Amino acid sequence: MKTIIATLVMLVAAVAGAVAQTMDTRTQIFDQNFKSLQVKLSNNDYFPPVLMMGGDNVIEVRFDELSPELSYLRYSVIHCNADWQPSALVDTEYLNGFNYANIEDYEYSSGTFTHFVHYSFSLPNEQMSFTKSGNYLVQVYREDEPETILLQARFAVCENVVSVFPSVSSRTDIDYNNSHQQVDITVDTRDYRVRDMYQDLMVFVNQNSRIDNEVCVNKPLRVMGSKAVFEHNRNLIFTAGNEFRRMEIVAVNYPTMRVARVEYFHPFYHATLLTDEPRTEVMYLYDKTQNGRFTIRNAEADDSEGRADYIVTHFSLATGERLTGGKIYVDGEFTNHMFTPDALMNYDEETGCYVADILLKQGAYNYQYLFVPDGTNVGLTATIEGDKYQTVNEYAVRVYNRQQGERYDRLVGFGMVFSGR
């Protein structure tokens, strides 16, 4: 009997461990031969990858493989709940068509020192379309190795049946025109039934597409008829940060924005950027940016996707001394807003600078420096960039609801707002 009980305890523990285990669904590249992953709306490169059901837009996925030879690649999609964990739905419940398709749009590099193949595909398409709203994860793999995921990317499909009205102010519940910005949200559900407005809405807010400081709120301050109002919520107060820094590596025959020099050392071009300085004590200066995004461009060629070369880009940040208590990372869409070894800056004792060398495709890039304290996974802007209340930040709001008896989270509304506008 004791043996049976012990076995049952072990089984229960194993099941509990499996339930607690989560899947890493963040947009990222797993094979270092793949680069320049972008997930965009077909008609707007500077809008979050959120597809409206019933519309004529599509999601475009683009990336390169550093190889002179074509690979036979496929992709599949996974439906996820609001927390980006796989939902209980099976393929046939959220897709029309088969849950795999070959990537047939590709282009070989031309006139570049680095040989690569550029791939792209769009969703939905003739092979698959979506029947349910919510979060989706698309995964790319080789035809003969479906168990090895090469890269993956998040996007969302929205029913757009509730109206989302976000606003943002630098007059927050913790300071006034200082270092924070507060988001308020009104969700109008007049055309969609919600059983309990105080319990059944999940509202996610992110700043400049970052995932490390994204927040979720589900209890409105008040409900007025069909409207749920999320105001004076401490969780919706974000540090203001600063405008993203900008640089361009769009040419190899002459230096461009923030580039000190371009040289060729086999097998890559190398672009040394001008040394950056901390901006904590510097007065705020407005700059029109793309809120962390990047655009592939070769100023010396007509076809940027196939003729933009790869350049080892040397970042440097002059701090004068080593910072203790955490690490510094280069942050932007090109790092997938993740704190990976590729984005980590190392301190150079000789120059008194933090440095990082990142292989990037020619283009225009936004970036910033985040300080991540030891033992945490949230980047701080205050340490290097400073927090300026005037900063123009992009706030994206996603509203989810799970109807009674359903097994997935619907994405019922989406809204965006920019601070300082």
Side-chain angles (χ1 to χ4, degrees):
M1 178 63 71
K2 289 183 178 180
T3 302
I4 295 174
I5 293 175
T7 302
L8 288 173
V9 169
M10 291 175 65
L11 287 172
V12 170
V15 171
V19 171
Q21 193 174 36
T22 59
M23 176 179 175
D24 187 351
T25 63
R26 293 174 295 178
T27 295
Q28 58 189 300
I29 294 172
F30 299 104
D31 187 318
Q32 289 304 301
N33 287 324
F34 288 80
K35 304 290 182 183
S36 304
L37 172 62
Q38 290 184 296
V39 189
K40 306 288 186 181
L41 281 184
S42 58
N43 66 349
N44 191 340
D45 281 356
Y46 304 118
F47 194 85
V50 179
L51 192 67
M52 298 299 165
M53 294 188 80
D56 57 2
N57 215 333
V58 297
I59 294 288
E60 293 184 350
V61 181
R62 317 166 191 160
F63 58 89
D64 295 339
E65 182 183 11
L66 303 188
S67 170
E69 298 179 355
L70 177 70
S71 292
Y72 295 97
L73 304 177
R74 280 184 175 175
Y75 59 89
S76 299
V77 297
I78 299 172
H79 187 274
C80 297
N81 286 321
D83 62 357
W84 288 104
Q85 290 303 296
S87 70
L89 301 181
V90 297
D91 299 358
T92 54
E93 292 181 283
Y94 59 83
L95 286 179
N96 276 330
F98 295 104
N99 193 4
Y100 68 87
N102 296 329
I103 301 178
E104 298 177 339
D105 291 333
Y106 56 87
E107 177 182 0
Y108 290 97
S109 59
S110 174
T112 60
F113 280 98
T114 303
H115 296 292
F116 63 87
V117 182
H118 176 70
Y119 298 88
S120 63
F121 62 91
S122 299
L123 293 166
N125 53 47
E126 293 181 356
Q127 286 74 39
M128 65 174 68
S129 59
F130 310 109
T131 61
K132 297 288 192 296
S133 69
N135 293 337
Y136 282 84
L137 181 72
V138 58
Q139 296 183 317
V140 175
Y141 50 89
R142 302 187 193 280
E143 283 186 22
D144 56 351
E145 295 182 79
E147 71 285 350
T148 302
I149 305 303
L150 304 171
L151 58 90
Q152 64 186 24
R154 290 178 173 183
F155 67 95
V157 176
C158 180
E159 295 181 31
N160 204 28
V161 291
V162 306
S163 299
V164 182
F165 303 100
S167 62
V168 59
S169 174
S170 57
R171 302 172 182 180
T172 78
D173 290 343
I174 59 176
D175 59 17
Y176 183 93
N177 287 355
N178 191 351
S179 58
H180 293 82
Q181 295 172 347
Q182 184 156 357
V183 178
D184 295 329
I185 305 161
T186 298
V187 178
D188 190 342
T189 66
R190 71 178 64 189
D191 297 321
Y192 178 79
R193 184 179 178 278
V194 176
R195 184 178 58 86
D196 185 346
M197 297 279 277
Y198 281 102
Q199 299 289 335
D200 293 346
L201 294 176
M202 292 175 285
V203 180
F204 284 77
V205 183
N206 67 49
Q207 179 193 60
N208 301 322
S209 300
R210 286 175 56 184
I211 53 178
D212 60 305
N213 63 348
E214 184 176 63
V215 299
C216 175
V217 294
N218 59 5
K219 296 188 184 302
L221 178 67
R222 62 183 182 275
V223 173
M224 302 181 301
S226 64
K227 297 180 180 178
V229 181
F230 298 83
E231 290 180 337
H232 302 292
N233 190 315
R234 289 294 184 97
N235 291 329
L236 293 178
I237 298 177
F238 293 80
T239 53
N242 208 332
E243 303 296 345
F244 277 86
R245 302 172 191 257
R246 294 190 297 144
M247 67 86 175
E248 294 185 355
I249 46 173
V250 297
V252 295
N253 294 315
Y254 54 89
T256 50
M257 181 187 294
R258 296 292 302 164
V259 176
R261 62 184 181 274
V262 180
E263 304 164 287
Y264 181 78
F265 302 108
H266 183 76
F268 295 112
Y269 280 105
H270 289 250
T272 301
L273 303 184
L274 296 173
T275 299
D276 288 314
E277 302 281 345
R279 299 188 289 177
T280 51
E281 304 301 325
V282 178
M283 184 179 298
Y284 170 79
L285 180 64
Y286 171 75
D287 189 15
K288 184 178 177 63
T289 73
Q290 290 70 50
N291 301 101
R293 297 181 174 90
F294 70 93
T295 301
I296 299 302
R297 187 164 72 90
N298 179 353
E300 301 168 299
D302 295 331
D303 173 23
S304 288
E305 291 293 1
R307 299 192 63 184
D309 215 330
Y310 274 85
I311 298 178
V312 178
T313 307
H314 302 275
F315 294 81
S316 60
L317 172 68
T319 58
E321 60 183 6
R322 185 190 299 271
L323 276 63
T324 59
K327 297 180 175 64
I328 298 175
Y329 290 86
V330 185
D331 173 71
E333 182 189 40
F334 64 98
T335 68
N336 296 312
H337 296 288
M338 290 179 61
F339 307 132
T340 61
D342 288 345
L344 176 65
M345 302 198 79
N346 297 297
Y347 185 69
D348 186 332
E349 297 281 357
E350 185 175 337
T351 62
C353 294
Y354 277 85
V355 297
D357 304 328
I358 305 177
L359 185 64
L360 298 175
K361 196 174 185 179
Q362 282 183 277
Y365 288 80
N366 286 188
Y367 66 101
Q368 64 181 349
Y369 297 110
L370 295 181
F371 181 80
V372 181
D374 294 336
T376 74
N377 56 9
V378 177
L380 306 180
T381 45
T383 309
I384 304 297
E385 305 295 356
D387 287 319
K388 318 293 184 181
Y389 74 89
Q390 306 98 320
T391 302
V392 177
N393 288 306
E394 173 190 291
Y395 293 94
V397 181
R398 307 189 311 277
V399 180
Y400 299 87
N401 170 248
R402 179 174 294 205
Q403 293 280 357
Q404 191 169 11
E406 290 188 332
R407 297 162 28 247
Y408 74 103
D409 298 329
R410 297 170 175 253
L411 177 55
V412 294
F414 179 80
M416 279 180 58
V417 65
F418 293 87
S419 56
R421 294 185 182 176

